[in-house]
Amino acid sequence: MDRIRIVGGHRLNGEISISGAKNAALPLIIASLLTEEPLTLENVPSLADVEQLIRILGNHGVDYALHGRRKAHTSSSYARVMRFEARNIVNIIAPYDLVSRMRAGFWVIGPLLARMGEAEISLPGGCAIGTRPVDFILDGLRALGAVITIENGYVHARAAKGLHGASYHFPKITVGGTHVLLMAASLAKGETVLHNAAQEPEVVNLAECLTAMGAQISGAGTRTIRIKGVEYLSGAQVKVIPDRIEAGTYAFAAAATGGNVLLRGANPNHLPIVLEKLQQAGARVDWEEDGVRIRREAPFITPVDIETAAYPGFPTDLQAQFMGLMTRAQGTAKITETIFENRFMHVQELARLGAHISLAGQTAEVEGVPLLQGAQVMATDLRASVSLVIAGLMAEGETIVNRVYHLDRGFERLEEKLAACGAEIERLRS
Ligand code: UD1
């Protein structure tokens, strides 16, 4: 298993290009199942999760081409243009060994059901960050007319006469649930209204894609989305938005090291609270023509409290990284996680580097320390692993991050991007 070696203490200075968003690319790729025509996506990141999803779609009969070449080696380039073509769906079953590794794999249930009238999907996997049920997704599909049974770890969904429009209120905001219902409703008969829908930029990106394919959608980006279903969706060409989580992560890394970094291609409009909190922590944020510049000239990091929430609140996917930054603050910061009940596994790993963090329920109290010291640490999930990288960049001496495969699920060329800004970081392959 690969490891990452970091020798901390170097300021980050330079530019980092922000990749296409993993959390937008995944639903857009899945949307290709809705049409027999090709869906071309620009700016697709090269990530383990994307490759895994391509395997899942391959099992349903989706063909793909990279930069116009059929079945080319997928991870050979960046900002990829990929074409997906689901001319014939050959299989409506998504088996355990494919879906268990990645939660987003479950979302194929929406388009398969809408287009084929049937889907049989293994219950999902993903990061070990808490229970992540799919009950709202299934209730929403039932509202659209699906008959759903669960047996032997598989969800069997049927709509022999097709789906029909309906009104559905999500009891709790779920991004994945909003994606699935948006896709399913686009091919349902009549109008669907989704209440308490997720407002994340990735939902807006998917709605743009479905609209380009011929769906009639209004309200994406607000809590109420209206979808007028159509009989047929066509192919389209759509660009994946920049990854706001990757941008936020490098923004924190720049501030953590007292550096000066231009996040090229980042969209500051997608990072409202994140940039505000970063400024409160003592960083300067400048919007530039082609991105956001983050610098910290202040001699110390000011403690700032955060509480995760659905967009436009502070993203749960940046909680661990912000905690990494706060480990060196001058004072105590309170970090409250409201989306997942078990998303503090990075706490004990940060403690190995000398961080002082105490946990009480859903809140972590981070008492900043003047010095972190390098150590061996273990990545426990995707975002937690990168918080260890941020801490390692600040720590004195050598930090080794084990189980880097978590990182590879969601960060493209991480060590290359950081090294180009002056970090002493390398991948130890094994
Ligand atoms: C959530 C985050 C998203 C992040 C992703 C991965 C929010 C609103 N969403 O996505 O930004 O990228 O995690 O870290 O912050 N739930 C149910 N039943 C369901 C679906 C969800 O109870 O059918 C609950 C979950 O237990 C959890 C919450 O809703 O508390 C969100 O869970 P989930 O849908 O898995 O995550 P997403 O909202 O898709």
Side-chain angles (χ1 to χ4, degrees), residues 23 103 107 129 131-138 172-177 198 200 244 309-311 315-317 338-341 343 383:
N23 288 351
R103 185 171 165 83
W107 302 344
I129 54 178
T131 23
R132 299 181 72 179
V134 290
D135 48 345
F136 306 151
I137 298 182
L138 301 186
K172 190 172 175 183
I173 294 165
T174 149
V175 179
E200 270 68 356
R244 64 194 167 96
Y311 191 85
T316 174
D317 280 352
T338 71
I339 308 288
F340 297 110
E341 73 275 17
R343 208 172 194 180
R383 310 303 178 182

Side-chain angles (χ1 to χ4, degrees), residues 383-420:
R383 310 303 178 182
S385 53
V386 82
S387 76
L388 302 173
V389 171
I390 293 176
L393 291 172
M394 293 188 283
E396 194 183 79
E398 182 182 271
T399 295
I400 304 279
V401 183
N402 294 290
R403 302 204 181 169
V404 168
Y405 56 85
H406 287 293
L407 260 178
D408 294 334
R409 286 188 42 218
F411 288 89
E412 190 180 68
R413 295 182 288 141
L414 171 111
E415 63 277 18
E416 210 182 291
K417 290 186 183 190
L418 288 171

Side-chain angles (χ1 to χ4, degrees), residues 281 301-304 322-329 331 333 335 366-368:
I301 299 162
T302 306
V304 177
F322 197 75
M323 190 183 294
L325 173 66
M326 287 298 125
T327 57
R328 286 287 321 277
I335 297 190
V366 187
E367 186 195 331

